[in-house]
Amino acid sequence: MQAPPSSEQANIASSQWTFGPDEADGRAVDLVGGKGANLISLREDGASVPPFFCVTTRLFDELAEALPASLRSELERPPRRPEAVAELGRRARAELAGIGMPLAAEVAILDAFEQSFGAEGRVVVRSSAVGEDSSTHSFAGQFDTYLNVTRDLLPERTFACLRSALSDRALLYRGINGLGFAAARMGVVVQELVDSAAAGVAFTADPLTGRTDRVVISANLGLGVSVVDGSAAVDSWSVEVGGEIVDRSIARKTSAVMADHEHGHGTIGTELEGEAVSLPVLRDAEVQQVAALARGLAERGGSPQDVEWALGRDGRVYVLQSRPVTTHIARPLTTFDNSNLVESYPGLTSPLTFSLMRRAYQENFRGLVHAFGAGRKRLDRSADIYENLVGLLRGRMYYNLSNWYRMFLQLPGMERALPAFEKAMGFKPAEAAPSSRSLWRRLAWVPAQAWVLLRLTVIWVRLGARIGAYRGAVEECIADLDSVASENLSAHDLQDRLDHYTGELFWKMSAAPISDFFTQQLYGLLGGLIGRWELGEPEALRNELLCGEPGMESIEPVRSLVALSERIGAAPAARELFAPGAAPKAVWARLHEEARFADLAADLDRHVARFGDRSLEELKLETTTLADEPAGLVAILRNYLGEAKSVAAMESHERAIRDAAEARVRAGLRHRPHRRPLFSFVLRRCRRGLKAREGVRLSRGRMAGLLRRLYRALGDRFVEAGLLDRREDLFMLTEREVADAIRGGSVDTDLRRLVALRRLEYEEAGEDFLPSRIEARGIVVAEQAQLPAESPADGSHLTGTGCSPGKVRAPALVVTSPSAETVVGGEILVASTTDPGWVFLMVAASGLVAEQGNMLSHTAIIGRELGVPTVVGVEGATSLIEDGAMIEIDGRAGTVVQLGGESHRAN
């Protein structure tokens, strides 16, 4: 047996074989490996790292040098075939075992142990290869770790840890990643054992989504081995930046790994019993403590971290190791929301409609921001914002909310307008709202903000003219198309007109969002004044004050229909003709064939000419409108005849609500007359803004009708050319694909195959139910397969936003696919969303419940104007409310109660 070295020899050996954390210098990684270097850095930064020392890579180098040269050459480039790796590993480990641990190194390691922990200490022996825990390769789980190691077992466990650099899995890892032998040069970390109450792992980048605004924590009782190796169920939490725990999963835990105190070393599996099985491993405060520690390590490290931690019996959280998350790739968060947009584009939207409206949003919002003071150079530099204001997820249109916020920040001071914008649009406040500017930047932007205020004032004064210019341009384009026989136009002629009309209209269409901007701010201000001056409940009183506005164009189609139904009801022959039974097309034909109905037929034709584009889903080009199939008007009028509606009764009901609300305001301001002018001004301008909004919306519908006519004519040309089977197939192409097919820029020339593929995708997408708010990380199309679905569980008591006052009890009519033939007879309509075309159904209903919508949505405005109690924003209404069930809604409180019992609808 070799004689033990002297004390002087041991000190020399110690400086060669071991490395203390206080000896750190630029050679740390090369001397102690990645894990050891990380721990030294953490200790220098003041992290709560348990005491440790490192066995240097010199020991591994000496052992490797003793291996045969031919074997070292093979180890430099390990094979990738498992059987070849197994043979190489077996031979290398056998050679290393024959070499054994040098005695001088053993003495140095034991000396360092006693100096660091005392003779009775308990430690963890961890691998620390040079390439381990780096920003590119973690070597996670490739080497061996030993827990609860005593002094006498330390040399053996250290040698075993070194030998694991030649394990089959470590060799295969290097071979797959193309890493040489230098990456496996092994140091060893000898760290004091934390006999923890609980332990686990914290990721500062969500391993599933990559998002870095949350810390994901997993934990179990004891030493946490089961968390690292996945051998048992563990608890998990997600913690946001502010410390809020936004998600938790408490598992049924049956086992944990503890230090084996009975045998004095090693670990033992323990079966959990009683409360320990179901209780959380950590209290909320401890979860937040771990999250804060991990986030601090990520900030110091400059990248997301994978942190192993332990909660000591003293309540302190210790860092056992921290390494970069090597699989993390920064994937930007994109937030989509259709709370408002779904009113215009419900359900599936064709590729043609989406692509054309995407360009429409791009142009008219560029026009808005330009009007507010942004130069064209700034707009061009931010082209990606405006090109992506809307998105298409599984065939459904969404606002790209992330870009809407970026657009707001194009102008100084616009952050202040965000709350009113969010509320008016029905958006939940963004999780990543625009950050507030520094004091210096706010001061620097004061002149710019003053300029924007001046621009806003000028725009407001000229807004009426801007709106008139857009509406006039729509009518001019329609008249221009009416002046020619479109059936005689070639595909090139039709495409030229499309380019001309959209170029003329889309930029001028900025009048719509500009008008909306001012109306949103006034609407918010009106509610604020009601609440601040204690005039009543802000939401309810504001809605009542906005009822009964004369000249609201969105109501004109209904007033026209009600007047027609009154006329039909007063004429026995006409009433008999409209009685249920005969097909609508047959009734329409008789109206135009029999002379006795000539005046009525002429009035119906005038209604179609004026309001034919006002239909269900009117902004979608694929929609069939009354202009296309006017006989649908027969079914609508039959509904009205059954309800015996009258224009006078509608106006009287609306005016009564408005008059009562105005009386409450006058009473509330009786003793504060100085406030009346401001309140009157805000109310008057808000009413005017809402009226303008609905007028613009009517023009948008007419613009969609114009574009629909052109594309249907183009569909006919494509069928004539043998490119498509039906003209409706054209709607499955994008606007760019249609134009390229005409002008020679097509990449894909087999349009039939392309249409068939898209129809298949749309059929599959039609079975999905998507929530109104969706977040995607990284490449959005890659996330679409994982888009979440929502399904609330209980439908007895639902809540939403009350938009039109009144309480009513009636059977529910759940309408998922509305049409002109939908019969409404006093039921409460229940829908996922509505659009302007629903006004024909709403007028015959006693109430309305919608899953989507907001206080300024078209649904809310129409509900108030018709005096129909309306509640919007009721999640899951169409799936939770049974068709025919008796329900009660309160349009002021925003509640929906399903009363149960048998169906009350007639069969």
Side-chain angles (χ1 to χ4, degrees):
M1 174 180 273
Q2 187 173 0
S6 65
S7 176
E8 182 178 352
Q9 290 174 322
N11 288 335
I12 296 174
S14 177
S15 65
Q16 178 181 357
W17 305 119
T18 64
F19 191 95
D22 296 329
E23 303 175 69
D25 60 23
R27 301 173 299 154
V29 173
D30 187 61
L31 275 175
V32 300
K35 188 179 279 92
N38 286 346
L39 288 173
I40 290 170
S41 178
L42 290 171
R43 179 183 168 114
E44 288 179 335
D45 289 338
S48 54
V49 178
F52 69 95
F53 71 87
C54 301
V55 177
T56 70
T57 54
R58 291 170 181 153
L59 176 56
F60 182 84
D61 290 342
E62 182 170 319
L63 293 171
E65 188 65 27
L67 294 173
S70 59
L71 182 58
R72 290 202 309 272
S73 178
E74 290 184 69
L75 292 171
E76 180 65 29
R77 297 178 179 273
R80 297 189 179 189
R81 292 183 297 107
E83 60 275 13
V85 166
E87 172 58 23
L88 176 61
R90 183 193 62 76
R91 290 192 287 115
R93 291 190 297 276
E95 287 285 351
L96 197 63
I99 298 168
M101 172 81 83
L103 183 58
E106 181 176 331
V107 170
I109 292 169
L110 292 174
D111 181 60
F113 179 94
E114 292 187 8
Q115 290 183 32
S116 301
F117 316 115
E120 303 301 320
R122 297 288 189 274
V123 297
V124 177
V125 177
R126 301 180 186 275
S127 63
S128 183
V130 169
E132 191 175 0
D133 287 359
S134 69
S135 60
T136 54
H137 299 95
S138 69
F139 280 90
Q142 304 308 309
F143 306 127
D144 291 342
T145 296
Y146 298 93
L147 305 177
N148 196 20
V149 176
T150 56
R151 178 186 181 281
D152 59 316
L153 291 175
L154 180 59
E156 176 190 332
R157 296 291 188 262
T158 300
F159 189 74
C161 191
L162 293 170
R163 193 169 59 239
S164 69
L166 305 177
S167 68
D168 297 350
R169 62 182 184 275
L171 292 172
L172 188 59
Y173 182 92
R174 285 203 295 112
I176 291 173
N177 287 284
L179 299 175
F181 193 49
R185 292 179 58 237
M186 181 75 75
V188 176
V189 172
V190 180
Q191 188 174 48
E192 183 176 73
L193 174 72
V194 179
D195 191 8
S196 51
V201 176
F203 275 74
T204 64
D206 190 313
L208 294 179
T209 66
R211 60 187 300 175
T212 57
D213 57 344
R214 291 184 179 179
V215 176
V216 178
I217 299 169
S218 295
N220 201 356
L221 298 173
L223 300 178
V225 176
S226 57
V227 180
V228 177
D229 64 16
S231 60
V234 298
D235 295 345
S236 62
W237 300 262
S238 290
V239 186
E240 287 194 332
V241 174
E244 180 183 359
I245 300 173
V246 294
D247 189 28
R248 68 184 72 222
S249 176
I250 308 304
R252 186 178 184 279
K253 301 167 287 294
T254 58
S255 63
V257 176
M258 307 286 186
D260 189 347
H261 295 292
E262 181 178 351
H263 293 92
H265 63 85
T267 60
I268 185 172
T270 303
E271 296 297 318
L272 299 179
E273 299 176 349
E275 292 183 336
V277 172
S278 56
L279 284 178
V281 170
L282 301 176
R283 296 188 296 270
D284 283 1
E286 293 166 340
V287 172
Q288 292 164 333
Q289 186 181 358
V290 172
L293 181 146
R295 188 169 287 114
L297 295 176
E299 290 174 358
R300 282 194 290 267
S303 66
Q305 296 288 301
D306 168 2
V307 182
E308 287 189 30
W309 55 270
L311 176 64
R313 305 286 174 178
D314 57 0
R316 185 179 179 186
V317 179
Y318 294 90
V319 181
L320 304 182
Q321 64 179 48
S322 181
R323 60 188 173 210
V325 179
T326 55
T327 57
H328 168 75
I329 300 176
R331 297 188 292 165
L333 171 68
T334 306
T335 301
F336 296 93
D337 197 300
N338 72 350
S339 300
N340 182 272
L341 188 63
V342 71
E343 187 179 85
S344 299
Y345 304 96
L348 298 177
T349 299
S350 72
L352 183 60
T353 294
F354 166 71
S355 59
L356 197 65
M357 292 304 104
R358 176 184 184 179
R359 184 159 68 85
Y361 273 93
Q362 174 186 350
E363 289 301 315
N364 72 71
F365 278 95
R366 275 172 56 92
L368 177 145
V369 176
H370 177 64
F372 282 11
R376 290 188 180 270
K377 287 185 178 180
R378 183 188 297 177
L379 293 175
D380 292 340
R381 287 196 302 268
S382 306
D384 65 301
I385 295 177
Y386 302 95
E387 291 170 359
N388 295 286
L389 288 174
V390 292
L392 194 70
L393 304 180
R394 292 192 193 166
R396 295 159 177 84
M397 280 183 67
Y398 279 78
Y399 285 131
N400 184 328
L401 200 54
S402 302
N403 280 340
W404 282 74
Y405 283 109
R406 290 178 62 201
M407 179 178 66
F408 261 88
L409 291 181
Q410 290 279 293
L411 294 172
M414 281 298 163
E415 299 97 324
R416 298 176 183 176
L418 283 175
F421 161 74
E422 290 173 329
K423 191 166 187 178
M425 299 288 278
F427 296 149
K428 300 173 184 176
E431 290 187 7
S435 58
S436 59
R437 305 182 190 277
S438 66
L439 176 61
W440 172 251
R441 291 199 66 191
R442 289 201 300 271
L443 291 174
W445 276 43
V446 166
Q449 290 173 338
W451 172 244
V452 169
L453 283 174
L454 179 61
R455 296 276 301 198
L456 288 176
T457 303
V458 173
I459 292 167
W460 195 20
V461 171
R462 297 178 178 175
L463 182 56
R466 186 183 290 266
I467 291 173
Y470 167 64
R471 302 195 67 186
V474 171
E475 297 306 317
E476 288 175 9
C477 291
I478 292 174
D480 181 68
L481 184 60
D482 288 341
S483 68
V484 298
S486 59
E487 64 272 13
N488 296 328
L489 296 176
S490 69
H492 283 271
D493 292 334
L494 291 167
Q495 186 62 50
D496 289 344
R497 287 183 179 271
L498 274 166
D499 292 343
H500 172 68
Y501 294 156
T502 55
E504 180 74 12
L505 297 177
F506 285 177
W507 182 266
K508 290 182 178 179
M509 195 175 163
S510 62
I514 291 172
S515 177
D516 285 349
F517 171 82
F518 287 113
T519 303
Q520 289 163 4
Q521 303 307 311
L522 287 165
Y523 186 84
L525 179 57
L526 180 62
L529 292 178
I530 293 171
R532 192 176 309 121
W533 293 346
E534 299 179 345
L535 301 177
E537 200 285 314
E539 301 288 351
L541 182 57
R542 178 172 54 186
N543 290 338
E544 292 163 11
L545 287 168
L546 297 175
C547 282
E549 181 67 17
M552 188 76 78
E553 288 190 66
S554 56
I555 302 300
E556 291 308 306
V558 176
R559 297 186 188 278
S560 173
L561 286 171
V562 171
L564 286 169
S565 69
E566 287 180 313
R567 179 176 173 181
I568 294 168
R575 188 173 185 87
E576 181 181 354
L577 178 62
F578 275 80
K585 288 185 177 181
V587 174
W588 189 260
R590 285 189 59 190
L591 281 167
H592 289 77
E593 292 168 357
E594 300 182 20
R596 57 178 175 160
F597 298 126
D599 290 343
L600 177 59
D603 287 343
L604 292 174
D605 288 343
R606 278 191 287 272
H607 177 93
V608 171
R610 186 179 177 191
F611 302 117
D613 294 318
R614 175 49 50 101
S615 298
L616 300 165
E617 304 185 10
E618 65 186 19
L619 297 183
K620 296 163 71 170
L621 303 185
E622 60 271 23
T623 295
T624 300
T625 66
L626 285 177
D628 303 311
E629 296 184 3
L633 194 56
V634 174
I636 295 173
L637 287 169
R638 280 173 173 169
N639 263 338
Y640 283 40
L641 285 168
E643 286 299 300
K645 295 277 186 181
S646 73
V647 173
M650 289 172 55
E651 292 177 343
S652 174
H653 178 74
E654 297 165 14
R655 192 71 203 183
I657 294 174
R658 177 173 170 147
D659 289 347
E662 290 177 343
R664 288 200 298 276
V665 172
R666 285 194 298 270
L669 296 178
R670 182 181 299 115
H671 302 296
R672 293 170 288 183
H674 60 285
R675 293 179 174 176
R676 292 176 191 168
L678 175 60
F679 191 90
S680 177
F681 175 80
V682 173
L683 175 59
R684 186 171 61 254
R685 298 298 302 203
C686 189
R687 285 171 171 169
R688 187 182 301 178
L690 290 174
K691 183 189 297 186
R693 185 176 193 264
E694 292 307 298
V696 170
R697 179 62 186 260
L698 192 63
S699 291
R700 286 175 60 197
R702 288 180 60 75
M703 182 185 73
L706 170 71
L707 300 176
R708 185 181 295 114
R709 288 167 60 188
L710 287 165
Y711 275 112
R712 285 188 173 167
L714 273 176
D716 291 335
R717 303 298 176 274
F718 276 50
V719 172
E720 292 165 5
L723 297 172
L724 298 174
D725 296 323
R726 302 173 301 165
R727 75 175 184 179
E728 291 78 12
D729 289 345
L730 190 80
F731 295 111
M732 299 310 292
L733 304 175
T734 68
E735 61 143 345
R736 189 71 264 160
E737 288 168 340
V738 172
D740 285 344
I742 295 169
R743 292 169 173 160
S746 292
V747 174
D748 193 332
T749 57
D750 189 346
L751 300 185
R752 281 193 177 88
R753 181 185 59 79
L754 189 57
V755 166
L757 174 62
R758 290 202 178 135
R759 286 199 182 280
L760 179 61
E761 290 179 347
Y762 269 61
E763 287 175 8
E764 295 173 350
E767 301 175 0
D768 299 330
F769 175 73
L770 302 185
S772 60
R773 172 70 64 98
I774 289 174
E775 293 182 345
R777 285 277 175 182
I779 302 175
V780 175
V781 74
E783 298 289 304
Q784 292 206 42
Q786 306 299 324
L787 291 182
E790 292 181 345
S791 182
D794 180 20
S796 58
H797 290 77
L798 304 173
T799 59
T801 301
C803 293
S804 180
K807 184 180 289 187
V808 63
R809 177 180 296 187
L813 175 57
V814 180
V815 180
T816 55
S817 300
S819 68
E821 285 73 34
T822 301
V823 177
V824 184
E827 299 94 342
I828 296 174
L829 285 174
V830 180
S832 60
T833 185
T834 65
D835 62 28
W838 280 75
V839 68
F840 306 119
L841 303 179
M842 291 169 65
V843 74
S846 60
L848 174 70
V849 176
E851 294 176 334
Q852 305 291 342
N854 57 80
M855 299 295 293
L856 284 186
S857 67
H858 190 91
T859 302
I861 294 171
I862 298 300
R864 287 193 292 268
E865 293 308 312
L866 297 179
V868 176
T870 301
V871 183
V872 302
V874 183
E875 294 188 24
T878 57
S879 58
L880 296 175
I881 297 175
E882 183 182 354
D883 186 46
M886 185 64 73
I887 63 174
E888 181 178 275
I889 70 172
D890 188 332
R892 180 191 297 270
T895 58
V896 181
V897 179
Q898 192 164 194
L899 302 174
E902 298 179 359
S903 173
H904 295 266
R905 283 191 63 209
N907 294 323

